[in-house]
């Protein structure tokens, strides 16, 4: 009779409820276990990434220290004192960032220090071979050609130049070139010149033959000569100058910011320029010497200011008024050579400006005074500010690296075309060279590889907070 007894309905419901509860609990346990595994993997990855950055920073700082000591021991270091001090400054900033455990910035500054010091050592090694130089920074489209018959090639950091080489920049290109006598040339956009033999100047100085465009010069212990179609400028040692030639107007311009410059026309007429003076030549005629306004002193904001793009809609820039200035030129750029600028105006009447914030990124800005006679004075020391969105979850704040998509690299002989996309405002480097990123995050870079066969190209994207994504792309260089 007990065998035929039916289970009470309420008990049956309890058993069913109990069975469902166990299954549900098991499902939730698996879900939470999966979440824990993902979180553990993420934390592990971040810990590994931080560990890798720490060791990379230490390795770069160690390399830079060794290079700095090699440069210091060389008897010719005085030729490159300003460049050497720049390398030491980057090294100091890398060490300070390492002490703060800001390893991303330590890697960035350590890389800059190493590159500058390597460029000096490369130039010292070539000191016995006259007429040589090397690119130490390249931005945008910059090309060089070996003599009259060579083909144009894309320039990159540490590319060497010899007498007879041609250099040209596009409307978005600029470069810095260090010669073995210590002269630093900053080549502006839309410029073309020839590296001439030292014997052409008659005094053994470094000589450039300008075809058109604009160049800044910082000389060291030796003078430098720039030849133009109808005039020449001899920039004395320890001087800073700005020279240019507008071929369509047949007009040459010469400015001395520091030190002195001697300008001579083809017919023997000369002008002596002292500090903050300029002269122009139209056709064959040299004008009178005019004064330039002094270098601008920036007041605010402080260097490396960080702004929240979700809260700030504009920011203020201010500088000290300059005597004799009728207006000011203002440039805001994403790159240190100030090409393809975000803001580029020459009509600021007041000693300040308010600029709108349109998106994230890392920016540099500088200002120069313009006289009533249209003379552009020396640029101020640039300052940097960063804009980023802080509307992130607390645990994700400043930790999300930017996306980085690379398309298939195309090789044309030794020339490789690298294209890709990242987030707008990010800084991108290809094999250590900074490149221009478009407003939509796309970028294109042409590089030249010296080795034949398989090679790797390293691409890095860094956002305003120092978060970085790195990828490698393998390409094959056909020797044929």
């Amino acid at each position: 009779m007990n065998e035929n007894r039916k289970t009470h309905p309420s008990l049956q419901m309890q058993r069913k409820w109990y069975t469902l509860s166990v299954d549900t609990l098991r499902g939730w346990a698996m879900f939470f276990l999966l979440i824990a595994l993902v979180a553990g993997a993420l934390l592990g990855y971040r810990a590994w990434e931080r560990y890798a950055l720490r060791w990379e920073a230490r390795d770069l700082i160690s390399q830079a220290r060794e290079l700095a000591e090699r440069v210091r021991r060389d008897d010719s270091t005085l030729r490159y004192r300003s460049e050497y001090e720049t390398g030491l400054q980057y090294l100091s900033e890398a060490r300070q960032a390492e002490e703060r455990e800001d390893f991303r910035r330590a890697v960035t500054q350590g890389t800059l220090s190493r590159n500058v010091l390597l460029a000096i050592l490369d130039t010292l090694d070539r000191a016995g071979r006259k007429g040589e130089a090397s690119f130490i920074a390249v931005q945008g489209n910059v090309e060089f050609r070996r003599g009259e018959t060579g083909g144009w090639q894309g320039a990159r950091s540490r590319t060497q130049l010899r007498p007879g080489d041609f250099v040209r920049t596009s409307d978005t290109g600029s470069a810095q070139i260090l010669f073995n006598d210590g002269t630093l040339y900053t080549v502006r956009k839309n410029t073309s010149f020839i590296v001439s033999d030292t014997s052409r100047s008659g005094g053994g100085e470094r000589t450039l033959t300008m075809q058109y465009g604009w160049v800044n010069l910082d000389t060291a212990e030796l003078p430098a000569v720039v030849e133009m179609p109808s005039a020449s400028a001899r920039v004395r040692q320890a001087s800073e100058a700005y020279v240019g030639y507008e071929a369509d107007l047949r007009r040459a311009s010469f400015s001395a910011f520091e030190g002195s410059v001697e300008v001579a026309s083809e017919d023997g007429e000369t002008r002596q320029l002292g500090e903050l003076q300029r002269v122009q030549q139209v056709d064959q005629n040299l004008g009178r010497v005019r004064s330039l306004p002094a270098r601008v002193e920036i007041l605010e904001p402080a260097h490396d200011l960080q702004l929240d793009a979700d809260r700030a809609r504009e920011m203020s820039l201010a500088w000290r008024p300059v005597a004799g200035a009728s207006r000011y030129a203002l440039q805001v750029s994403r790159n240190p050579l100030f090409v393809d600028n975000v803001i580029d105006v020459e009509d600021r009447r007041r000693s300040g400006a308010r600029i709108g914030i349109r998106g994230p990124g890392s920016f540099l800005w500088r200002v120069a005074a313009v006289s009533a006679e249209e003379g552009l004075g020396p640029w101020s020391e640039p300052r940097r500010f960063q804009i980023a969105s802080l509307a992130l979850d607390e645990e994700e704040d400043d930790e999300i690296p930017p996306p980085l998509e690379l398309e298939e690299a195309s090789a044309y002989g030794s020339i490789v075309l690298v294209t890709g996309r990242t987030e707008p405002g990010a800084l991108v480097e290809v094999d250590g060279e900074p490149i221009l990123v478009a407003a939509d995050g796309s970028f294109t870079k042409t590089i030249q590889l010296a080795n034949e066969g398989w090679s790797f190209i390293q691409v890095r994207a860094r956002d305003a907070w120092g978060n970085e994504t790195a990828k490698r792309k393998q390409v094959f260089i056909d020797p044929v």
Side-chain angles (χ1 to χ4, degrees), residues 183-198:
T183 300
L184 179 66
Y185 289 81
T186 302
V187 186
R188 297 303 176 189
K189 64 181 183 179
N190 295 322
T191 296
S192 177
F193 65 84
I194 308 169
V195 181
S196 304
D197 197 339
T198 52

Side-chain angles (χ1 to χ4, degrees), residues 37-67:
L37 289 174
V38 172
L42 180 60
L43 291 174
Y45 171 77
R46 288 181 175 176
W48 172 86
E49 183 183 36
R50 183 175 177 81
Y51 177 82
L53 281 172
R54 176 188 288 113
W55 281 104
E56 185 179 4
R58 290 178 179 175
D59 182 56
L60 285 167
I61 291 172
S62 177
Q63 291 182 46
R65 283 175 176 168
E66 181 181 349
L67 293 170

Side-chain angles (χ1 to χ4, degrees), residues 175-219:
Q176 285 186 323
I177 302 173
L178 180 64
F179 281 81
N180 63 11
D181 63 0
T183 300
L184 179 66
Y185 289 81
T186 302
V187 186
R188 297 303 176 189
K189 64 181 183 179
N190 295 322
T191 296
S192 177
F193 65 84
I194 308 169
V195 181
S196 304
D197 197 339
T198 52
S199 61
R200 293 186 58 183
S201 66
E205 302 98 342
R206 175 70 47 236
T207 305
L208 291 186
T209 300
M210 291 280 297
Q211 296 177 310
Y212 58 84
W214 301 88
V215 172
N216 284 80
L217 295 82
D218 282 283
T219 60

Side-chain angles (χ1 to χ4, degrees), residues 212-464:
Y212 58 84
W214 301 88
V215 172
N216 284 80
L217 295 82
D218 282 283
T219 60
E221 63 176 10
L222 294 175
V225 175
V226 178
E227 295 181 345
M228 297 182 183
S230 57
S232 64
R234 187 171 187 266
V235 183
R236 308 221 179 245
Q237 62 267 34
S239 297
E240 179 185 352
Y242 187 49
V243 300
Y245 181 70
E246 300 167 89
D248 54 339
L249 300 176
R250 301 179 62 189
R251 180 171 63 189
S253 300
F254 309 89
S255 297
F257 298 147
E258 295 180 8
S260 61
V261 177
E262 180 182 354
V263 180
S265 65
E266 282 187 331
D267 59 9
E269 190 178 9
T270 62
R271 297 286 186 274
Q272 299 292 332
L273 302 182
E275 186 170 330
L276 296 177
Q277 290 186 330
R278 65 186 281 262
V279 69
Q280 283 191 324
Q281 181 196 45
V282 181
D283 293 327
Q284 302 293 323
N285 303 316
L286 283 175
R288 66 180 179 87
V289 176
R290 301 174 185 271
S291 297
L292 289 171
R295 193 182 304 272
V296 177
E297 178 187 353
I298 292 178
L299 298 178
E300 61 178 29
H303 188 56
D304 272 341
L305 173 71
Q306 294 186 350
L307 293 173
D308 183 357
D310 301 308
R311 296 183 179 181
R313 293 292 176 264
E314 59 181 13
M315 64 178 296
S316 296
L317 310 177
W319 53 89
R320 196 177 303 281
V322 175
S326 63
R327 52 192 173 88
Y328 299 92
L330 172 66
Q331 292 182 340
V332 180
S333 182
R334 296 180 186 272
N335 62 79
L337 293 183
F338 288 89
V339 290
D340 198 21
N341 299 321
V342 178
I343 296 176
D344 197 338
V345 296
E346 295 186 1
D347 58 354
R348 302 302 307 172
R349 300 292 173 176
R350 296 181 294 108
S351 57
R354 295 186 68 83
I355 61 175
I357 294 175
R358 298 292 181 264
S362 181
F363 302 87
L364 292 164
W365 73 281
R366 64 181 185 176
V367 63
V370 183
S371 69
E373 298 175 329
E374 301 301 307
L376 181 71
W379 289 99
S380 66
E381 291 296 324
R383 286 195 180 182
R384 180 172 56 241
F385 62 89
Q386 295 179 327
I387 300 173
S389 175
L390 302 182
L392 300 171
D393 189 82
E394 183 176 351
E395 294 186 1
E396 296 180 333
D397 190 13
D398 297 347
E399 294 290 340
I400 301 177
L404 179 59
E405 301 175 5
L406 297 180
E407 299 178 7
E408 203 63 37
S410 302
Y412 306 90
S414 62
I415 303 298
V416 180
L417 182 66
V418 182
T419 57
R421 185 179 297 273
T422 183
E423 68 181 26
L427 300 177
V428 174
E429 293 182 353
V430 177
D431 279 357
E433 296 181 22
I435 64 175
L436 183 67
V437 178
D440 62 355
S442 62
F443 58 87
T444 301
K445 174 66 175 176
T446 302
I447 64 173
Q448 183 177 20
L449 298 179
N451 298 328
E452 298 175 354
W454 288 105
S455 295
F456 283 97
I457 299 172
Q458 183 82 17
V459 183
R460 297 177 181 271
R462 186 180 300 108
D463 63 19

Side-chain angles (χ1 to χ4, degrees), residues 3 17 52 76 148 202 243 265 359 397 400 466 477-478:
E3 294 176 357
W17 177 87
S76 305
E148 295 282 354
V243 300
S265 65
D397 190 13
I400 301 177
I477 303 301
D478 192 343

Side-chain angles (χ1 to χ4, degrees), residues 55-109:
W55 281 104
E56 185 179 4
R58 290 178 179 175
D59 182 56
L60 285 167
I61 291 172
S62 177
Q63 291 182 46
R65 283 175 176 168
E66 181 181 349
L67 293 170
E69 180 61 22
R70 287 173 56 189
V71 174
R72 187 189 66 80
R73 290 197 301 263
D74 196 288
D75 294 336
S76 305
T77 301
L78 288 177
R79 295 184 183 179
Y80 314 99
R81 173 169 292 175
S82 62
E83 291 78 19
Y84 177 57
E85 290 176 351
T86 299
L88 292 182
Q89 178 63 34
Y90 286 142
L91 176 57
S92 175
E93 293 174 359
R95 295 175 61 184
Q96 293 172 10
E98 183 195 22
E99 292 176 357
R100 299 193 308 268
E101 297 190 351
D102 184 357
F103 299 119
R104 292 187 187 278
R105 180 163 177 79
V107 167
T108 300
Q109 301 308 107

